[in-house]
Amino acid sequence: MYYYIRTFGCQMNQHDSQFAAALLEKSGYEPTANLDEADIVLVNTCSVRESAEKKIFGFIDSLILRKRIKPSLRVVIIGCMVSAEEAVDNLLKKRKHIDIVLGTRSIHRLPHYLELLESESGPFVEIDLDHEVVEGRIHKREDFYRAFLTIMYGCDNFCSYCIVPYVRGRETSRSMNDILAEARSLVADGVKEITLLGQNVNSYGKGLSEEENFANLLLAMEKIDGLERIRYMTSHPKDFSEEIIDAIASSSKICRHFHLPFQAGSDRILKAMNRHYNREKYRDLILNIKNHFPDAVLTTDIIVGFPGESEEDFCETLSLLKELEFDLAYTFLYSPRRGTPAAESDSQVPQSVKKERLLRLMDVQNGISLKKNKAMVGKTYMLLGEGPSRTDPKVQSGRTDGNKLVHFEAKEDYTGKLVPVTVTSANTWSMRGQLLK
Ligand code: SAH
Ligand code: SF4
Ligand code: F3S
């Protein structure tokens, strides 16, 4: 019996899919990359923007025909799109081919419902966002040398545009002991790089003892022998404290990559977004980081066309982007999400204006990204090897501490190994390099 998983959305979802995969394999299923062969199709959904949702509905609906041809096919929908009752009702109304629906905190119930399906017909739905955190999750890793490690679930920030707090529930931190035990067992299993996951990792520790905070967690992770690199996702600028900066400065394993979404450059818009920082505070934070870590790689997220965003507001985003010179910016068109405060606003920005602003933003950023990458030419970096390219086995790739992708030619396989490479040329998205002999 084969399972096929399609994952949409962020690293949280990728990690949840690794959990679902491990559960399915424990129940005796084998993975397949061929949809035609699958006995179970599991779709892990994302609702952060409408464009993502449209694609997901398209994929789910394409399974109707498959089930007609193969009535024994099980269709399982999990993730953020199915974490509110109304959304689930809408989904199921027209789609009789779905067997199991599990919210983001109910994935551990998958084996139970698969077993129930043997004797009863579905659909079975469980979307309990208040469910307590499940410890002892198992994951099927894609790479032997790197792993995700969830340190907290949910989000309490309620940025006014964002659906995440409604679909992932309240912020719940795992105990530091549980996290460190999992980290040690991953390292014993060959993991060299761990990415700590949470919607707002900087506020880790809410509801736990005073010592259990993000800075102390980083310091404790640093002490794990055999672990080479520590990453974390995502940081909220309002909670990125001096203690965290000090912890990173004292560390040799925490990567000098800072992903700090600023979303908008205008104070008026930041306030309407409920972000709890202003332009000046954000600017000071970035300058402070640049001061501490001159070689830091900086990335950010930006939303264009938030309700009420004027041309003037947008120009403030543009000028902050130009001034701070990020290595990379993930830019999004504002997408109204039902149930969020911003979606109710009657000053929505027309789609054509949003698109035009996005293009201007991307144009500026692409120039900066290229300039930043070109500045790396001639320098040598330690890469963590990610293995040979699918199209050309002579070419391998790896990532710098700053998470930049470099391709290089090599005969030996450097997957999961640290290797020095000198950058020889650069374009906007990646670089070429030469192995240092
Ligand atoms: N917790 C993380 C990630 C949230 S989702 C954080 O706070 O950074 C990732 C990004 O999607 C956000 O940073 C934001 O830029 C974007 N995003 C979230 N909701 C959106 C919406 N309704 N429309 C457009 N972009 C959105
Ligand atoms: Fe969404 Fe804001 Fe929470 Fe990030 S911090 S997940 S943008 S509500
Ligand atoms: Fe999407 Fe859920 Fe992540 S809405 S971005 S998969 S937290």
Side-chain angles (χ1 to χ4, degrees):
M1 297 283 269
Y2 291 103
Y3 73 89
Y4 176 99
I5 297 184
R6 175 72 67 92
T7 306
F8 298 86
C10 64
Q11 285 90 346
M12 285 279 174
N13 263 18
Q14 285 174 35
H15 199 217
D16 284 344
S17 288
Q18 295 177 344
F19 178 33
L23 290 171
L24 288 167
E25 293 192 12
K26 216 175 147 193
S27 304
Y29 293 90
E30 284 175 62
T32 179
N34 178 0
L35 205 45
D36 294 331
E37 203 176 50
D39 300 291
I40 295 186
V41 177
L42 183 144
V43 191
N44 195 355
T45 61
C46 168
S47 42
V48 78
R49 279 170 292 274
E50 196 189 350
S51 52
E53 283 198 335
K54 274 199 182 139
K55 243 194 287 174
I56 297 166
F57 278 125
F59 181 66
I60 294 176
D61 290 346
S62 76
L63 299 173
I64 296 177
L65 192 65
R66 290 189 177 273
K67 187 138 177 168
R68 226 172 267 156
I69 299 166
K70 185 175 181 175
S72 66
L73 179 72
R74 305 286 194 225
V75 176
V76 183
I77 315 292
I78 68 170
C80 295
M81 253 169 74
V82 292
S83 288
E85 246 158 69
E86 198 198 346
V88 174
D89 290 345
N90 272 335
L91 181 76
L92 293 179
K93 216 185 292 163
K94 279 183 272 158
R95 298 173 183 84
K96 305 291 172 215
H97 65 305
I98 296 173
D99 298 293
I100 300 172
V101 172
L102 299 172
T104 49
R105 296 210 187 179
S106 303
I107 300 164
H108 60 287
R109 301 274 283 161
L110 181 58
H112 167 75
Y113 288 116
L114 282 174
E115 213 179 292
L116 262 188
L117 273 180
E118 300 290 320
S119 53
E120 287 172 51
S121 55
F124 298 110
V125 179
E126 186 174 320
I127 51 170
D128 176 13
L129 284 188
D130 296 323
H131 197 287
E132 65 186 73
V133 163
V134 179
E135 275 305 329
R137 282 191 11 163
I138 45 171
H139 298 95
K140 187 196 173 191
R141 289 203 309 278
E142 270 123 52
D143 308 299
F144 68 89
Y145 58 91
R146 61 177 169 187
F148 292 126
L149 203 176
T150 301
I151 65 169
M152 62 202 294
Y153 297 90
C155 181
D156 284 351
N157 289 313
F158 291 95
C159 301
S160 62
Y161 50 82
C162 184
I163 195 80
V164 172
Y166 306 89
V167 294
R168 292 241 164 214
R170 295 291 56 74
E171 212 171 288
T172 322
S173 293
R174 296 176 65 197
S175 83
M176 215 152 111
N177 278 338
D178 287 330
I179 294 168
L180 293 172
E182 185 172 335
R184 282 190 211 100
S185 83
L186 286 169
V187 172
D189 197 34
V191 167
K192 300 259 173 62
E193 176 184 290
I194 291 180
T195 303
L196 303 174
L197 287 185
Q199 290 300 344
N200 175 12
V201 290
N202 312 129
S203 77
Y204 165 77
K206 244 193 222 173
L208 302 178
S209 74
E210 211 174 301
E211 296 76 59
E212 289 169 287
N213 59 44
F214 190 57
N216 284 341
L217 177 63
L218 287 175
L219 292 172
M221 291 287 296
E222 172 78 17
K223 293 202 189 100
I224 299 177
D225 281 335
L227 182 60
E228 307 266 9
R229 281 183 174 178
I230 302 164
R231 300 187 185 280
Y232 48 91
M233 276 241 124
T234 304
S235 291
H236 194 306
K238 79 176 165 65
D239 296 313
F240 206 88
S241 64
E242 205 61 42
E243 290 77 52
I244 295 173
I245 293 180
D246 289 344
I248 299 170
S250 75
S251 151
S252 62
K253 296 178 181 171
I254 305 168
C255 292
R256 268 53 169 169
H257 170 205
F258 299 83
H259 179 68
L260 286 156
F262 75 83
Q263 313 296 4
S266 135
D267 284 346
R268 204 173 63 82
I269 298 295
L270 283 171
K271 195 158 195 309
M273 285 179 161
N274 195 30
R275 289 291 287 179
H276 295 283
Y277 55 83
N278 57 25
R279 180 192 176 92
E280 194 190 328
K281 258 173 100 177
Y282 182 82
R283 199 175 155 267
D284 286 349
L285 173 63
I286 296 296
L287 297 181
N288 191 14
I289 289 171
K290 287 191 181 203
N291 224 352
H292 274 88
F293 313 100
D295 56 349
V297 169
L298 291 159
T299 58
T300 195
D301 292 349
I302 301 167
I303 296 176
V304 296
F306 182 85
E309 184 189 74
S310 64
E311 172 64 22
E312 221 179 353
D313 292 319
F314 172 69
C315 285
E316 292 204 50
T317 297
L318 212 52
S319 77
L320 197 58
L321 191 74
K322 283 181 191 159
E323 182 192 342
L324 296 178
E325 298 208 304
F326 296 92
D327 291 81
L328 203 68
Y330 300 90
T331 50
F332 306 105
L333 294 176
Y334 168 71
S335 170
R337 305 284 65 209
R338 205 166 10 162
T340 62
E344 307 296 315
S345 162
D346 46 21
S347 40
Q348 301 293 332
V349 176
Q351 193 70 2
S352 57
V353 176
K354 286 190 211 170
K355 283 189 177 158
E356 183 258 347
R357 288 182 188 162
L358 187 76
L359 288 177
R360 280 157 72 195
L361 205 62
M362 285 165 72
D363 192 44
V364 168
Q365 183 53 43
N366 288 348
I368 299 172
S369 294
L370 182 62
K371 178 178 139 189
K372 287 264 181 169
N373 286 351
K374 284 204 160 144
M376 291 171 70
V377 173
K379 295 186 189 152
T380 302
Y381 296 86
M382 289 307 284
L383 305 184
L384 184 61
E386 295 189 348
S389 118
R390 255 176 237 141
T391 46
D392 183 358
K394 284 200 301 291
V395 177
Q396 299 185 30
S397 61
R399 279 181 197 270
T400 67
D401 168 286
N403 209 29
K404 298 241 182 161
L405 189 63
V406 184
H407 303 289
F408 59 97
E409 284 191 16
K411 292 199 181 77
E412 194 187 322
D413 183 0
Y414 286 103
T415 311
K417 289 185 188 150
L418 283 164
V419 52
V421 169
T422 308
V423 175
T424 51
S425 67
N427 59 38
T428 313
W429 309 112
S430 67
M431 276 152 283
R432 280 284 202 174
Q434 199 163 31
L435 206 62
L436 195 76
K437 289 275 152 53

